[in-house]
Amino acid sequence: MPPALELTGRTFGRLVAVERSHKDATGAWMWLCRCGCARYVHVRGATLTAGRASACSSCAASMRARTHGETGSPLYQRWRAMLDRCENSHHRAWRDYGGRGIAVCPRWRSYELFAADMGSTFRPDLELDRIDTDGDYEPRNCRWISHAAQQSNKRNNHVIEWRGHVKTVTQWGSTLGIPSNTLVHRLRRGWSVDRALTTGASRDVLLELANEAAS
Ligand SMILES: [Zn+2]
């Protein structure tokens, strides 16, 4: 593998390379870049130097969609929000999406292709939902569901870090032997995470976690 390029401070269109960030799944270096719109995005160094990225995906898409007059459409807003959750580390929900490694598939970085795949089943009262919540945004993992159904899923998929482990409410429920709806209700009533996860939990599992923490 050739040595990583030094791109700090260099400008690529609207993007300025801030710092080398991490390697992606293929071992290529990703750079944290700041776009002219103040969003932060991660872009492959090779993509930058090849001139194939000159703005964050939202700005790039806005420029394209503006020519199609679509930026205000509800479908477009769903698409743009999806990209923001996964690629803008300053987005309020980034921690649960991009920050957990959830990505948008290459095909759907194009609004036109996203609209081609998902447009026919869309209605403005529906939200974009991932079937496997650890999976990416891609055609086989996505569907439209009602806002109410999504809120219920979100509570079950809420990520909790406890005793050195990061799991969703559903995963904690099955690990500890507590129904996930019970956990959701406890947390909504303001129980501490510690009390919510230990009350009625499997003694064996709690002992295991304690031993792990001690070793
Ligand atoms: Zn931008």
Side-chain angles (χ1 to χ4, degrees):
M1 172 152 301
L5 293 166
E6 180 49 75
L7 302 179
T8 307
R10 281 182 58 185
T11 299
F12 303 90
R14 285 167 68 82
L15 298 175
V16 178
V18 177
E19 62 184 19
R20 185 180 292 134
S21 168
H22 62 279
K23 284 183 176 173
D24 72 6
T26 70
W29 276 106
M30 303 292 286
W31 283 77
L32 177 68
C33 298
R34 188 174 196 272
C35 181
C37 68
R39 284 188 178 81
Y40 285 82
V41 290
H42 293 95
V43 185
R44 264 193 199 190
T47 303
L48 291 170
T49 52
R52 282 188 283 110
S54 58
C56 75
S57 17
S58 292
C59 285
S62 308
M63 290 183 246
R64 281 196 306 272
R66 211 168 287 141
T67 49
H68 300 286
E70 282 203 77
T71 45
S73 84
L75 182 62
Y76 180 86
Q77 284 160 9
R78 299 297 187 285
W79 173 80
R80 183 170 172 146
M82 164 186 79
L83 280 180
D84 261 356
R85 289 192 293 273
C86 294
E87 299 183 3
N88 173 9
S89 53
H90 285 207
H91 188 278
R92 65 192 156 71
W94 189 80
R95 189 174 164 272
D96 289 333
Y97 293 87
R100 277 207 302 130
I102 308 297
V104 174
C105 69
R107 178 177 167 83
W108 282 5
R109 304 188 87 251
S110 149
Y111 171 68
E112 289 77 9
L113 294 176
F114 173 77
D117 291 341
M118 300 298 287
S120 66
T121 50
F122 176 67
R123 292 196 321 260
D125 60 323
L126 299 178
E127 301 291 338
L128 186 60
D129 186 61
R130 282 166 307 132
I131 296 157
D132 169 7
T133 55
D134 291 326
D136 289 341
Y137 282 99
E138 56 188 340
R140 60 166 183 214
N141 194 36
C142 285
R143 61 185 170 187
W144 297 109
I145 62 170
S146 73
H147 183 71
Q150 182 161 63
Q151 289 311 305
S152 155
N153 285 353
K154 241 180 218 166
R155 286 189 286 272
N156 288 312
N157 295 327
H158 173 66
V159 174
I160 295 175
E161 185 173 355
W162 187 63
R163 297 197 179 171
H165 295 267
V166 178
K167 295 178 194 285
T168 64
V169 169
T170 302
Q171 289 166 339
W172 277 120
S174 60
T175 301
L176 297 166
I178 304 171
S180 60
N181 282 344
T182 303
L183 289 180
V184 168
H185 285 126
R186 287 175 178 173
L187 293 166
R188 287 182 86 190
R189 282 208 304 268
W191 287 33
S192 69
V193 169
D194 213 55
R195 185 177 166 215
L197 294 186
T198 52
T199 305
S202 151
R203 280 162 175 275
D204 291 345
V205 176
L206 290 179
L207 198 61
E208 235 172 74
L209 288 170
N211 287 338
E212 235 175 63
S215 66

